[in-house]
Amino acid sequence: MTAEQDPIKVMKQEVGKAAAARVQSGAIVGLGTGSTTAYAIEYLGQRIKSGELKDILGIPTSFQASVLAKQYGIPLTTLDEVDHIDIAIDGADEVDPQKNLIKGGGAAHTREKVVDALADLFIVVVDSSKLVDKLGSTFLLPVEVIPMAMTPVMRAIEKLGGKPELRMGVKKAGPVITDQGNMVIDVKFDSIDHPAELEKTLNNIPGVLENGLFVGVTDIVLVGEVKDGQPSVREF
């Protein structure tokens, strides 16, 4: 099946393109992680190559984003070198009606939160399956933990009413290791009624680096949909 025939792939490309189209020359851009954001990075590269965009600097949120940026010719910088980020583009695993997110399916949520929270404009790119009435309804909440604290953190999460599980590698024996060298606990909460409070409570557990709740950070959500086989993008 080619991209032309696969409406979901075309839709992800269109959402990525719509986000990349909002970047202006001279911008410092936060480059997110994941399949839809990968298309945004690709289209940014195309706009640079064609001369339409000039003087762009990218700040990657993961090893994946860094590799893609190099592949598509986007010059990279670091947070030590710049004093602001104009725009960040990133995906999400869940988006609620208040534009709060759960992220971390790719285990990159710690660096993503640093970059996305610094950006003047944070654009989230998703397909409509990621829209939920309440966070935690379809996706487990990722929590990045330093390895020595794994067991006490899991106990503390259980006391909060969560069911924690260490994320294991696929095609790799043992746990998933993040770009920071830590582990990820995926937590099932029956209901996340107060995301802002839970975000702070989890981050206050000693040994927790960061969790995947992004509250009050998102400015714009671009949603890709496939209707009657036709991909479309709407702003949420």
Side-chain angles (χ1 to χ4, degrees), residues 97-147:
Q98 287 73 47
K99 296 193 282 202
N100 296 322
L101 318 173
I102 285 184
K103 289 174 55 51
H109 57 279
T110 298
R111 283 171 65 178
E112 288 170 343
K113 197 179 280 190
V114 172
V115 170
D116 298 344
L118 282 170
D120 295 337
L121 182 71
F122 174 32
I123 299 179
V124 172
V125 288
V126 289
D127 59 82
S128 54
S129 71
K130 308 288 170 66
L131 303 180
V132 296
D133 292 330
K134 199 180 219 179
L135 293 180
S137 23
T138 60
F139 205 82
L140 302 178
L141 177 61
V143 181
E144 182 166 346
V145 181
I146 63 171

